[in-house]
Structure formats: structure tokens, C-alpha cells
């Protein structure tokens, strides 16, 4: 992008950056959630996103020191080439390998993980070599598989809307800093700092009260904060700013929780596809966010906040229709997802999964 000779090439390279950057992030998130046991899954998934927040916090400082957008682009993208060495450093997901019936490779990686954790691979792992291949596991996943059953269909639509809402409200609140005046760098930094408590609140609550309630509450808090902020007079700026910060905190929590919930609601064969497909609605939201912000603000500067409040409140209600995933093993099959949707914990054919978690 920094060396684009014209605007058309800039758009082309930006599109390529967005497609591959998003794909790398989603694949890495699914990998870290699959490679750890259920007892550590929420910690690992939230900690992974804390580093995203660190990036948001330091970005305005880097931008302040490097005012040229081309130099800034090079500064923040060149270090990503270091990530290429991950191909040789990070193992494949044992869950995915087992799902694809690559038993030998999965056992080798699982044994290495167990060794590094000071544990031994359970003897009953050898029994998996005798398992009959599951046609569902070996077939290539299709986008239509996300809609084939009633439960899969319901959760796919709800998760898509949750991703869309998170992106529109999150990015809308960030871009709103540019039209309300004040120091853009300082405002961006403060709005980034407020994201850090979100991760710690999630870590403290998500195992105690489950996934759904914090997920819904975060959206409702964001929605209510946006609506009240829009109605507060300009001369009470401190209160307006405080509520806007609370709204940013709420939508940040919602954005971080949707990653975790999305990865926990799909079977192994469809997990990467499910997370990628649902999260693609956040890209749609990111595309629409600036148009919604500037078009609505041209009518009334607080009108975007009204929209953010309404869609966030709706999202808070919809996510309560999702099944609770706290304390369960990751579903392996579509049938597991249907069982979970009927309010039963996923315990079907779980000997294999429990064995995996015991050594990881």
C-alpha cells in the first residue's frame, strides 16, 4: 500500500491486506482454542485478544511520531513478516487432524504437547487407531452446512448479526472521535485504554455466570450507553464522555466474547468455516460503518449513536437464544451441536475428547 502508484492500486492492495490479514487472524484464533483443553480455553482466547488491545493502545503513539501515512504503513506492517516463521514453530491442531482421520500425526503432536506439559500420553490413545472413519469428518465442509439443521441455522444467523453489530458499533465509536472534535491521538489512546478492563471483566465472569449473560449484558450496556449519550446536552461534556467510554467498554466485551462463543458453537469439521463465515459480517459492518456514521451525522450529529443503541440492544436479546457453552467440550459433530441446542451438555461420544484434554 505504501508504494501504490495510484488510488486504484491502493484499494487493490488494501483489499488483499484485509482478506489475508483477516484470514490469518481467524485461523490463529481457532487454532489456539482447539489446541488447549476446555479448562484453559477461555483464558487463552481472551489473552490472545488482549494483545490486539495493546496494539490499539500503542497505535496513536506511533502515528503521532510518524505523521506520514506511508511511513506509518511500513512501520506497522513490515514486522508481520516475522510471523512467517510460525509455520515451522506452531503445530497443527490435533483436533482437526483427528477429525480428518490423520491419527498418526495427531498422536505425535499430542505426545509432544503432553511431554512439554510434564505429562504422559494416555494408553487408551492407541485405541483411536482402530476407530472407523466418520463420513462427516472426511467430507469437505460447505458453506451450506452452516444452515442444514435448525440449530445450526439459528445460531449462524444470530452470530452473524452479533458480529455485524459489534463491528458497526465498535468502529463507529472509534470513527466518531474524528467528528466530535478534541485531540484525535489522545481520544484514540483513551478509547484504547478502556478496552483493557474489558478483558479482565470477561475473565472474572465468563466461567462463573456462563457465556450468554455477559454476552447479552455487554451489548445491552453498550446500547443503553449510546442512547443516553445521544440525549445528553453538549454542555455536560464530562458525562457525555463518560457514557461514551462505557459504551466502548461494553461493545469491546461483546466483540471479545463473540470470538469465544462462535468457536465453541460449531463442530470441529465446520469450526474454521463457521467462524470465518460469521465473522465476515464484521467486515460488512466495517465497510458500512463510515457511511452510516457520516450520512447520519450530516442529519444530526448524535443520530449514529441512536442507531448503535438500537442494534446493540437487539443483539443483546438475540444472543440469549444461543445455547450455553460454559464448561462443555467442543462439539465434534453436527449432532453434538443439535444436542447442545436442546439444552443438553455435549457428552455424546466424549471418550475421545476427554482423552485429548487430559494430556493437553
Amino acid at each position: 500500500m505504501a508504494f501504490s502508484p495510484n488510488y486504484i492500486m491502493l484499494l487493490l492492495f488494501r483489499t488483499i491486506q484485509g482478506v489475508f490479514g483477516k484470514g490469518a487472524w481467524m485461523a490463529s484464533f481457532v487454532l489456539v482454542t482447539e489446541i488447549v483443553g476446555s479448562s484453559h480455553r477461555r483464558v487463552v482466547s481472551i489473552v490472545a485478544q488482549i494483545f490486539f488491545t495493546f496494539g490499539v493502545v500503542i497505535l496513536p503513539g506511533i502515528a503521532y511520531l510518524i505523521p506520514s501515512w506511508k511511513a506509518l504503513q511500513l512501520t506497522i506492517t513490515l514486522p508481520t513478516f516475522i510471523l512467517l516463521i510460525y509455520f515451522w514453530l506452531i503445530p497443527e491442531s490435533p483436533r482437526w487432524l483427528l477429525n480428518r482421520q490423520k491419527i498418526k500425526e495427531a498422536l505425535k503432536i499430542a505426545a509432544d504437547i503432553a511431554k512439554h506439559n510434564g505429562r504422559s500420553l494416555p494408553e487408551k490413545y492407541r485405541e483411536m487407531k482402530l476407530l472407523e472413519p466418520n463420513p462427516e469428518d472426511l467430507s469437505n465442509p460447505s458453506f451450506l452446512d452452516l444452515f442444514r439443521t435448525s440449530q445450526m441455522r439459528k445460531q449462524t444467523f444470530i452470530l452473524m448479526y452479533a458480529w455485524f453489530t459489534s463491528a458497526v458499533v465498535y468502529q463507529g465509536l472509534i470513527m466518531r472521535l474524528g467528528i466530535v472534535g478534541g485531540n484525535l491521538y489522545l481520544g484514540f489512546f483513551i478509547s484504547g485504554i478502556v478496552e483493557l478492563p474489558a478483558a479482565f471483566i470477561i475473565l472474572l465472569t465468563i466461567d462463573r455466570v456462563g457465556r450468554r449473560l455477559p454476552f447479552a449484558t455487554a451489548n445491552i450496556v453498550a446500547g443503553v450507553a449510546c442512547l443516553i449519550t445521544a440525549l445528553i446536552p453538549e454542555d455536560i461534556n464530562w458525562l457525555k464522555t463518560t457514557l461514551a467510554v462505557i459504551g466502548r467498554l461494553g461493545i469491546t466485551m461483546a466483540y471479545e466474547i463473540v470470538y469465544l462463543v462462535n468457536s465453541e458453537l460449531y463442530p470441529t469439521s465446520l469450526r474454521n468455516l463457521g467462524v470465518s463465515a460469521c465473522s465476515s459480517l464484521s467486515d460488512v459492518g466495517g465497510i458500512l460503518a463510515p457511511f452510516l456514521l457520516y450520512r447520519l451525522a450530516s442529519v444530526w450529529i448524535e443520530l449514529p449513536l441512536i442507531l448503535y443503541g438500537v442494534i446493540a440492544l437487539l443483539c443483546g436479546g438475540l444472543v440469549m437464544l444461543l445455547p450455553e457453552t460454559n464448561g462443555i467440550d467442543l462439539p465434534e459433530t453436527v449432532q453434538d451441536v443439535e444436542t447442545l441446542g436442546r439444552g443438553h451438555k455435549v457428552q455424546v461420544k466424549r471418550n475421545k475428547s476427554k482423552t485429548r484434554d487430559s494430556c493437553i
Side-chain angles (χ1 to χ4, degrees):
M1 288 175 57
F3 300 106
S4 301
N6 52 58
Y7 184 62
I8 298 299
M9 293 302 296
L10 175 68
L11 292 180
L12 175 62
F13 287 128
R14 181 66 184 90
T15 301
I16 294 173
Q17 182 190 52
V19 170
F20 287 94
K22 175 67 177 295
W25 166 246
M26 298 313 303
S28 64
F29 184 83
V30 170
L31 177 60
V32 297
T33 55
E34 288 188 342
I35 211 166
V36 299
S38 58
S39 60
H40 303 293
R41 195 164 61 231
R42 56 101 183 177
V43 175
V44 170
S45 62
I46 299 303
V47 168
Q49 295 179 74
I50 289 177
F51 286 91
F52 176 87
T53 301
F54 285 151
V56 172
V57 170
I58 67 174
L59 179 58
I62 298 174
Y64 180 79
L65 296 173
I66 308 175
S68 168
W69 74 266
K70 290 187 176 182
L72 177 63
Q73 184 69 32
L74 287 173
T75 301
I76 63 178
T77 55
L78 285 178
T80 60
F81 284 99
I82 299 174
L83 303 181
L84 293 174
I85 64 175
Y86 281 13
F87 180 80
W88 294 277
L89 296 179
I90 299 178
E92 184 56 85
S93 165
R95 286 183 182 274
W96 182 83
L97 291 171
L98 286 172
N99 187 267
R100 305 302 295 179
Q101 300 300 321
K102 297 181 179 181
I103 308 298
K104 186 176 179 180
E105 296 175 51
L107 292 181
K108 183 177 183 300
I109 293 173
D112 187 56
I113 293 174
K115 180 181 177 181
H116 281 82
N117 287 338
R119 302 184 182 186
S120 59
L121 200 63
E123 187 65 29
K124 54 186 177 182
Y125 249 74
R126 303 178 186 277
E127 299 174 7
M128 286 189 286
K129 294 182 179 180
L130 304 176
L131 292 175
E132 291 294 327
N134 186 342
E136 180 185 316
D137 293 342
L138 295 176
S139 61
N140 291 320
S142 164
F143 178 73
L144 294 178
D145 292 335
L146 304 178
F147 303 91
R148 291 198 188 282
T149 64
S150 58
Q151 181 60 28
M152 293 281 286
R153 199 159 43 242
K154 180 181 77 172
Q155 68 187 35
T156 296
F157 282 128
I158 293 176
L159 288 169
M160 282 182 169
Y161 180 74
W163 278 103
F164 175 82
T165 299
S166 295
V168 169
V169 179
Y170 180 86
Q171 296 196 37
L173 289 177
I174 291 178
M175 289 185 290
R176 182 175 174 271
L177 295 171
I179 65 174
V180 296
N183 188 308
L184 180 60
Y185 298 102
L186 180 60
F188 196 96
F189 173 76
I190 293 174
S191 68
I193 285 290
V194 78
E195 293 188 16
L196 290 174
F200 295 106
I201 294 173
I202 293 171
L203 289 174
L204 290 173
T205 60
I206 206 167
D207 277 347
R208 289 178 172 83
V209 298
R211 271 58 161 162
R212 284 188 306 178
L213 188 56
F215 196 6
T217 302
N219 279 285
I220 292 172
V221 168
V224 171
C226 287
L227 290 175
I228 296 177
T229 302
L231 302 177
I232 294 177
E234 289 293 337
D235 55 351
I236 316 179
N237 188 60
W238 66 270
L239 182 58
K240 202 174 185 71
T241 301
T242 301
L243 287 169
V245 167
I246 292 174
R248 177 69 181 276
L249 175 65
I251 201 61
T252 298
M253 288 181 60
Y255 220 154
E256 293 185 2
I257 295 174
V258 73
Y259 276 95
L260 177 61
V261 172
N262 200 161
S263 65
E264 291 181 333
L265 283 176
Y266 285 102
T268 301
S269 59
L270 296 174
R271 187 166 298 118
N272 205 30
L273 175 63
V275 174
S276 298
C278 292
S279 66
S280 67
L281 268 292
S282 71
D283 300 325
V284 176
I287 293 171
L288 292 178
F291 294 98
L292 292 173
L293 175 68
Y294 293 111
R295 291 293 183 183
L296 294 178
S298 65
V299 177
W300 176 38
I301 195 169
E302 305 296 5
L303 190 56
L305 290 177
I306 301 295
L307 173 66
Y308 302 156
V310 171
I311 64 176
L313 288 174
L314 178 59
C315 185
L318 287 175
V319 298
M320 289 301 293
L321 301 177
L322 295 172
E324 180 56 64
T325 57
N326 183 29
I328 68 166
D329 292 325
L330 290 175
E332 301 288 353
T333 66
V334 173
Q335 182 56 47
D336 287 350
V337 175
E338 294 298 305
T339 301
L340 181 61
R342 290 192 293 269
H344 304 293
K345 284 196 173 185
V346 181
Q347 296 176 334
V348 184
K349 299 180 182 178
R350 271 294 163 270
N351 290 335
K352 182 168 64 174
S353 295
K354 288 179 180 177
T355 303
R356 295 176 206 169
D357 285 356
S358 66
C359 68
I360 297 176

